[in-house]
Amino acid sequence: LTVVFTGDGAPAGNYGYTSSGYSVYEEENDRLTESLRTKVSAIKSLSIEIGTEVKNQNKMLSEMENDFDSTGGLLGATMGRLRTLSRGSQTKLLCYMMLFSLFVFFVIYWIIKLR
């Protein structure tokens, strides 16, 4: 098996470049390069859109975190007041109810006594 080379060092026959214009390989290479360029451009625009969406989502999450923090503080303060109210007011409430009952009892007794 012998391979014949042309004067410029490339093998002769179907494997070498033609002397006039582009070869089939160069045309396909250009077509694939353009296809790759289009795909890279699409990926670039998609990644820019993803970056913008991530920034918007991070901003929204930050606002939600602030809202939850303020709501948590308000809820904590309300629970503290409720605990304070529930600890000390049971005895006071019981005393007030007994005094009211005695008052009602004396009013009813007084009404019955006057008849």
Side-chain angles (χ1 to χ4, degrees):
L1 179 69
T2 57
V3 178
V4 178
F5 289 97
T6 58
D8 60 353
N14 292 336
Y15 301 108
Y17 293 111
T18 58
S19 60
S20 63
Y22 288 106
S23 71
V24 175
Y25 297 115
E26 286 178 349
E27 289 175 6
E28 185 173 349
N29 199 16
D30 289 341
R31 184 182 57 80
L32 290 174
T33 302
E34 187 60 35
S35 172
L36 185 61
R37 183 176 292 123
T38 304
K39 290 176 183 177
V40 167
S41 176
I43 290 173
K44 179 183 175 184
S45 65
L46 184 63
S47 65
I48 289 172
E49 290 176 17
I50 288 173
T52 304
E53 185 65 25
V54 166
K55 287 179 187 176
N56 290 338
Q57 294 293 328
N58 282 339
K59 181 181 174 186
M60 191 183 313
L61 283 174
S62 176
E63 291 171 357
M64 285 177 60
E65 182 180 7
N66 292 338
D67 291 343
F68 283 137
D69 285 344
S70 65
T71 304
L74 182 64
L75 184 61
T78 303
M79 290 302 291
R81 287 187 209 123
L82 187 61
R83 272 190 225 107
T84 303
L85 183 66
S86 69
R87 278 189 217 137
S89 68
Q90 287 178 349
T91 56
K92 287 182 184 178
L93 183 62
L94 186 59
C95 288
Y96 289 139
M97 287 183 68
M98 288 180 66
L99 287 174
F100 180 73
S101 298
L102 285 173
F103 175 74
V104 170
F105 177 74
F106 283 123
V107 168
I108 292 175
Y109 178 75
W110 184 66
I111 291 174
I112 292 175
K113 189 77 166 165
L114 286 177
R115 282 189 187 197

